[in-house]
């Protein structure tokens, strides 16, 4: 897989399978923003089709981070076209504030999980990854000047944005759909994501989302992270990059990715988003 065209730190982090452990965490952070939650609630059916939501999100993430210039433009154009139709009272998928928050959660969750499961980033790598991650938001319309130019600027933005989060009924309902989808065969995998998300969330958000927690669960989470940090980096790179390899192969099959249509079982007749306000695995 020729990745010479991809930004180096963005490529390195997004080829790591362990980053997927933060998928549920990123989604919950995103829908804790009331406007994001409203948009996802009205334009997503991921409780009915969680794997389609995940597939759409990862096509965008991997296509943008690891694809050729032509592939990046294709997946980004598809998502921009869908986002133009995702709007309603109190939300607009092209609102720079919302695009900024989505991009910020993708940066934040990737760095946090990578450092917990692989290795610490240097200050220079942090700054470079911040610059490279901006593409997730700017490709959808965020003005480049909105994106923080330094780690200090990002930290200030994150602190202020986080303080305004509010887990309302929409967000709680979305989290229930995320962790208890209609397909019961997916419940074990979703329960794992709920456990990981619970460990990554700050206590106040975890409580607001109703994720059960205890000292025993905290110890289990910490043991799991320690074990992963010892074992995962020693796995062959081909194993650690397998999800990204398979998704890129699937995206390229038959000429590339096309968003799936809502299932007949879905009640929603509105356009659904491949990624974005609901994040990794939430919408398409």
């Amino acid at each position: 897989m020729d990745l010479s065209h991809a930004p180096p730190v963005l490529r390195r982090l997004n080829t790591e399978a362990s980053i997927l452990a933060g998928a549920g965490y990123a989604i919950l952070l995103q829908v804790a923003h009331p406007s994001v939650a409203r948009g996802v609630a009205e334009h997503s059916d991921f409780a009915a089709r969680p794997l389609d939501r995940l597939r759409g999100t990862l096509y965008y993430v991997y296509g943008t981070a690891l694809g050729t210039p032509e592939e990046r433009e294709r997946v980004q154009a598809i998502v921009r076209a869908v986002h133009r139709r995702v709007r309603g009272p109190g939300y607009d998928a092209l609102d720079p504030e919302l695009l900024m928050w989505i991009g910020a959660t993708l940066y934040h969750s990737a760095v946090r999980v990578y450092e917990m499961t692989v290795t610490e980033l240097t200050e220079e790598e942090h700054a470079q990854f911040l610059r490279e991650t901006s593409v997730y938001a700017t490709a959808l319309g965020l003005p480049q000047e909105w994106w923080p130019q330094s780690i200090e600027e990002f930290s200030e933005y994150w602190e202020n944005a986080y303080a305004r989060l509010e887990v309302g009924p929409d967000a709680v309902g979305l989290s229930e759909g995320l962790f208890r989808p209609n397909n019961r065969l997916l419940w074990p995998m979703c329960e794992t994501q709920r456990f990981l998300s619970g460990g990554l969330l700050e206590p106040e958000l975890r409580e607001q989302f109703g994720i059960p927690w205890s000292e025993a669960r905290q110890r289990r989470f910490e043991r799991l992270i320690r074990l992963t940090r010892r074992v995962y980096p020693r796995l062959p790179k081909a194993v650690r990059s397998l999800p990204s390899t398979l998704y890129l192969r699937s995206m390229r099959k038959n000429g590339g990715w096309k968003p799936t249509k809502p299932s007949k079982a879905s009640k929603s007749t509105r356009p659904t988003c491949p990624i974005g306000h609901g994040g990794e695995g939430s919408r398409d």
Side-chain angles (χ1 to χ4, degrees), residues 41-49 53 182 262-272:
E42 295 194 0
H43 292 270
S44 177
D45 61 347
F46 65 72
R49 300 187 303 145
R53 304 277 80 73
N182 296 346
S263 65
K264 293 181 179 179
S266 172
K267 295 180 180 179
S268 176
T269 59
R270 299 189 177 196
T272 56

Side-chain angles (χ1 to χ4, degrees), residues 10-222:
L10 188 68
R11 174 179 70 243
R12 194 174 93 211
L13 267 66
N14 279 284
T15 54
E16 294 290 355
S18 66
I19 295 299
L20 297 177
Y25 172 59
I27 293 171
L28 294 184
L29 285 173
Q30 290 166 14
V31 300
H33 189 301
S35 295
V36 174
R38 180 78 297 216
V40 178
E42 295 194 0
H43 292 270
S44 177
D45 61 347
F46 65 72
R49 300 187 303 145
L51 294 182
D52 286 340
R53 304 277 80 73
L54 177 63
R55 187 178 301 114
T57 295
L58 293 181
Y59 281 155
Y60 180 78
V61 170
Y62 290 142
T64 295
L66 309 175
T68 65
E70 294 76 15
E71 290 167 340
R72 288 199 297 270
E73 179 53 36
R74 173 176 170 76
V75 298
Q76 291 165 5
I78 289 172
V79 176
R80 285 195 300 269
V82 175
H83 275 201
R84 281 194 287 269
R85 298 178 288 161
V86 179
R87 59 186 60 187
Y91 67 90
D92 184 332
L94 298 181
D95 182 343
E97 179 187 343
L98 303 190
L99 292 174
M100 178 61 211
W101 178 241
I102 298 303
T105 61
L106 295 178
Y107 166 80
H108 167 86
S109 62
V111 168
R112 187 166 183 208
V113 176
Y114 181 85
E115 292 193 322
M116 292 176 77
T117 60
V118 184
T119 189
E120 300 290 321
L121 292 173
T122 66
E123 184 176 341
E124 181 180 349
E125 288 171 332
H126 265 291
Q128 185 172 347
F129 186 59
L130 178 65
R131 291 193 299 271
E132 294 170 355
T133 306
S134 68
V135 68
Y136 290 133
T138 57
L140 300 181
L142 179 76
Q144 185 65 52
E145 60 268 21
W146 278 60
W147 192 258
Q149 299 303 302
S150 67
I151 299 301
E152 292 74 21
E153 283 187 25
F154 180 86
S155 297
E156 182 179 359
Y157 162 78
W158 184 265
E159 182 178 347
N160 292 333
Y162 189 91
R164 295 194 298 269
L165 298 181
E166 181 181 346
V167 179
D170 285 330
V172 172
L174 290 165
S175 68
E176 292 172 352
L178 175 66
F179 298 127
R180 280 293 183 269
N182 296 346
N183 187 345
R184 287 175 172 264
L185 294 177
L186 299 176
W187 282 17
M189 178 180 70
C190 294
E191 182 59 32
T192 299
Q193 269 294 328
R194 185 167 75 154
F195 173 71
L196 293 172
S197 300
L200 291 166
L201 283 170
E202 293 294 333
E204 67 272 13
L205 281 186
R206 183 172 61 215
E207 182 177 353
Q208 290 175 45
F209 276 112
I211 298 177
W213 207 249
S214 63
E215 292 184 3
R217 284 176 179 256
Q218 183 65 32
R219 289 193 297 269
R220 283 171 49 204
F221 177 78
E222 293 171 356

